Amino acid sequence: MTIVPISKRGPVDMHVHLVGNGRQGSGCWLRPGWMHRLLAKFMLKQLGLPVSWDAVNFDESYVALLIRWLRKSAITHAVLLAHEEVYDVSGNKLKFGSLYVPNDYLFAVCREHPEFLPAVSIHPAREDALDELNRCLALGAVMMKCLPNCHNIDTRLPKYRPFWERMAAAGLPLLAHTGGEHTVPVYDKKLADPAVLSGALECGVTVIAAHCATKSGVTDRDYLPALVQMMEKWPRLYGDLSALNLPLRSAGLKFMLGRPDLHDRLLHGSDFPVPVSATWAKMRKLITSAEAKRCTAFNNLITRDHQLKEAMGFPDKVFTQVWDLLPVRGD
Ligand SMILES: [Zn+2]
């Protein structure tokens, strides 16, 4: 089990992506289509990363930038996410998707930088899914991440029950993307609905709905009201505030600020490297112009997103209560 001394536990950014192209042997791959390539270019420019996404030294440059920014911020730890490949329900790997980040590369990066906590990614349809889950638990996984609509995962399928039961027994939380998605290709749009998470919840897994099921594109459905209803029913269901400092998703910030009764169930995450901006919170009058200006001055996106949410008035617990959910040991 991963060890983090209680005295070192401060605010956490619980939604940070690890990305790589594998050109130096990380095992990662990146295959962005033309639209995603433009998006990737834009994101790298925002980050100020001096290399292109297909450069030989991209993987190490990405990690170097991320750890530098994390150490400069008031965030003590980031939950770093692997990214699984896409499978059909019979467990056949599909040629679909734009990126892959293997669990072993994730563990290697986390071993080198203890500020990173490993969130593995395992498709439950894989023939070796349970073995891989047990292996990752032994290596210190603190979370399991997937995007049901992009990975093709409906947790309600009866064949996945042993997988969720093992996660529940180990106290490993599931971080699942909810709502529309526009940076990774979508396999099945219907699986953006948070209702697909009820299978894992029924097995006793702590589930975190990424982005609070808000809509990302204009044509997306807004599942936030459905998620809130589910949160009333399932005490182990949480929502993360990642990527909410974006044009449409920022509606979720306004909604959640008005629901202090739900703050015990909200977790701070940035969705790094997503280019979050102060503009949307300012437009929705969640922060003053002066605060927007101050936050914009941080080109460090880990800091910018954290400062924005503090300025909006999210309470301290939103930045720290994830510690109660993670299977980590103290001193
Ligand atoms: Zn994300």
Side-chain angles (χ1 to χ4, degrees):
M1 199 180 267
T2 294
I3 299 170
V4 184
I6 312 256
S7 58
K8 294 218 166 120
R9 297 181 189 177
V12 180
D13 185 330
M14 51 63 69
H15 192 136
V16 172
H17 287 276
L18 182 59
V19 185
N21 62 24
R23 292 193 62 187
Q24 280 181 320
S26 64
C28 300
W29 53 255
L30 266 173
R31 278 188 219 127
W34 68 268
M35 200 182 92
H36 292 109
R37 219 169 313 176
L38 280 180
L39 208 64
K41 211 170 163 182
F42 172 73
M43 288 187 3
L44 292 181
K45 209 173 147 205
Q46 290 278 310
L47 292 178
L49 203 63
V51 296
S52 148
W53 65 271
D54 57 355
V56 175
N57 61 343
F58 172 80
D59 298 13
E60 62 180 12
S61 305
Y62 183 90
V63 172
L65 176 83
L66 183 52
I67 195 71
R68 195 169 73 236
W69 279 4
L70 183 60
R71 285 178 183 160
K72 273 191 168 170
S73 76
I75 299 281
T76 65
H77 293 81
V79 177
L80 195 61
L81 316 178
H83 191 97
E84 175 64 295
E85 296 189 76
V86 183
Y87 289 77
D88 68 16
V89 291
S90 311
N92 301 305
K93 197 189 285 181
L94 303 176
K95 252 200 155 336
F96 189 86
S98 57
L99 78 152
Y100 173 53
V101 180
N103 296 328
D104 281 332
Y105 176 55
L106 170 78
F107 283 121
V109 172
C110 292
R111 262 195 300 272
E112 209 175 315
H113 308 287
E115 296 96 329
F116 292 141
L117 304 171
V120 296
S121 189
I122 305 165
H123 198 296
R126 268 168 64 166
E127 208 180 313
D128 66 343
L130 265 176
D131 291 342
E132 178 64 2
L133 177 58
N134 285 321
R135 191 182 75 90
C136 289
L137 284 167
L139 288 170
V142 304
M143 206 180 267
M144 205 292 266
K145 165 76 199 293
C146 69
L147 292 83
N149 54 339
C150 303
H151 279 128
N152 183 33
I153 299 172
D154 185 338
T155 76
R156 296 168 297 190
L157 288 189
K159 70 175 282 196
Y160 297 158
R161 275 194 85 95
F163 188 85
W164 310 128
E165 281 164 359
R166 178 71 187 104
M167 276 183 63
L172 189 71
L174 170 66
L175 170 60
H177 177 93
T178 48
E181 167 64 39
H182 297 274
T183 40
V184 178
V186 171
Y187 186 83
D188 184 348
K189 233 180 140 177
K190 293 191 301 297
L191 300 179
D193 188 337
V196 308
L197 304 177
S198 61
L201 287 161
E202 267 166 27
C203 292
V205 177
T206 295
V207 177
I208 305 161
H211 325 301
C212 283
T214 50
K215 61 188 268 180
S216 153
V218 265
T219 58
D220 292 340
R221 207 176 123 187
D222 179 14
Y223 290 105
L224 175 60
L227 177 70
V228 171
Q229 268 190 6
M230 283 181 73
M231 285 170 88
E232 280 156 14
K233 179 176 173 195
W234 300 100
R236 284 177 184 278
L237 178 58
Y238 290 73
D240 91 14
L241 299 175
S242 69
L244 293 199
N245 279 305
L246 291 181
L248 297 177
R249 288 199 200 280
S250 52
L253 291 169
K254 188 167 182 174
F255 176 88
M256 285 303 184
L257 283 165
R259 289 292 303 265
D261 57 312
L262 293 173
H263 290 178
D264 283 343
R265 315 268 288 282
L266 294 182
L267 306 170
H268 164 66
S270 63
D271 208 4
F272 181 92
V274 167
V276 291
S277 156
T279 308
W280 322 110
K282 190 180 90 178
M283 275 172 60
R284 291 183 194 274
K285 303 201 177 354
L286 307 179
I287 52 171
T288 63
S289 298
E291 282 164 339
K293 209 172 156 193
R294 183 180 67 82
C295 293
T296 303
F298 294 111
N299 58 359
N300 179 340
L301 295 179
I302 300 281
T303 296
R304 185 190 290 168
D305 197 61
H306 178 206
Q307 294 291 317
L308 278 168
K309 285 169 191 160
E310 278 203 337
M312 283 170 216
F314 281 106
D316 288 351
K317 60 185 173 186
V318 165
F319 304 92
T320 53
Q321 61 201 356
V322 71
W323 287 115
D324 302 335
L325 310 184
L326 302 177
V328 291
R329 275 203 345 248
D331 297 270

